[in-house]
Amino acid sequence: MEHAKPAEDRNVLIAPSVMCADLLDLGRDIDALVDLGVDWLHLDIMDAHYVPNLTLGTDLCRQLGGRYALPLDMHLMVDDPDQWGPLFAGIAAGATGGGYVTIHPETTWHPARTLAAIRDAGGRPGIAIDPAADVDRFRHLLALCDLVLVMSVNPGYAGQRLLPWTLDTVRDAARLRGDRGLDYRIEIDGNVSWQNIPAMIDAGADVLVAGTSSLFDPTLARDQAAAKMRLAVGR
Ligand code: DX5
Ligand code: ZN
């Protein structure tokens, strides 16, 4: 089985899942996270069609991009990425720290065209691999991506349990990156817990979407959780 280099030899990034933050005091919560050294802001955009949930929107992303220098990591769980992809790419282009726009490739007839449109509109394109999907199936898209997001839970809700076979999907994404001489980052999204983080990093994840089972762990103060997170990624 392939093992990635240990965390301390890599720059594994922390991307808090903003939908898990204190939405009633979001600015304060994100200010604290920025001070605590997180790297990206993971923004779950859901349209209540592709997934049975409705979360963050365009105005919030625009305001976050105007206030914070961190890259916006916009995860589009939407039925129409051809409409929303370029729009969120425009938000990324206007954001201080730029941003990624990640689509689920099954949601459009021609994902290669959608990814090109995202890049043309100023976003860094990515694909999200559903737990039921296989990254090899989308191997021809990988050269168009700056990010491959591996869903380790079914898309749509925080607080779910890791689907263990998705660690192999992370390994597959790392293998294909090496075989093809590509340099996209590999992100894992869902139940990034204290228990699961070591295996996720060992499988090859470069970016951890930190939600309710780590950074927003209700049993820890934010600074304690952030310190535990930095330790987990070898900083
Ligand atoms: C689920 C979202 C995840 C989720 C992570 O569709 O993409 O970002 O918020 O939350 P936890 O860590 O609770 O799984
Ligand atoms: Zn997500």
Side-chain angles (χ1 to χ4, degrees), residues 21-216:
D22 177 355
L23 300 180
L24 296 181
D25 208 347
L26 193 55
R28 180 196 52 78
D29 213 358
I30 295 181
D31 287 348
L33 289 169
V34 171
D35 292 345
L36 290 165
V38 298
D39 300 292
W40 294 0
L41 296 178
H42 185 80
L43 297 155
D44 289 307
I45 314 298
M46 303 180 190
D47 66 358
H49 288 273
Y50 178 62
V51 290
N53 199 354
L54 199 55
T55 49
L56 312 171
T58 52
D59 292 340
L60 174 66
C61 293
R62 229 175 247 113
Q63 287 190 28
L64 290 170
R67 180 181 292 189
Y68 298 101
L70 303 186
L72 303 181
D73 173 25
M74 295 176 277
H75 175 193
L76 271 55
M77 289 166 269
V78 300
D79 242 355
D80 188 355
D82 294 301
Q83 174 192 358
W84 296 106
L87 190 148
F88 279 93
I91 292 174
T96 314
Y100 296 80
V101 179
T102 301
I103 65 165
H104 286 252
E106 304 91 332
T107 59
T108 173
W109 289 109
H110 307 291
R113 180 184 295 155
T114 311
L115 294 169
I118 287 168
R119 192 177 295 283
D120 291 348
R124 302 191 68 172
I127 55 172
I129 311 297
D130 183 272
D134 187 310
V135 64
D136 285 86
R137 170 181 166 196
F138 300 111
R139 62 190 179 285
H140 298 310
L141 300 176
L142 296 174
L144 304 175
C145 293
D146 291 352
L147 180 65
V148 172
L149 182 158
V150 175
M151 286 302 304
S152 36
V153 297
N154 289 307
Y157 294 100
Q160 301 177 83
R161 309 279 304 159
L162 169 75
L163 300 171
W165 68 83
T166 57
L167 295 180
D168 288 334
T169 308
V170 173
R171 289 188 189 92
D172 292 343
R175 169 179 48 81
L176 286 163
R177 179 175 60 189
D179 291 353
R180 292 167 174 240
L182 299 174
D183 64 356
Y184 52 80
R185 281 191 178 273
I186 300 169
E187 184 172 45
I188 191 158
D189 185 357
N191 195 213
V192 177
S193 68
W194 306 122
Q195 298 76 9
N196 294 331
I197 286 172
M200 291 173 165
I201 292 176
D202 181 63
D206 309 308
V207 186
L208 305 179
V209 175
T212 60
S213 40
S214 50
L215 199 52
F216 298 99

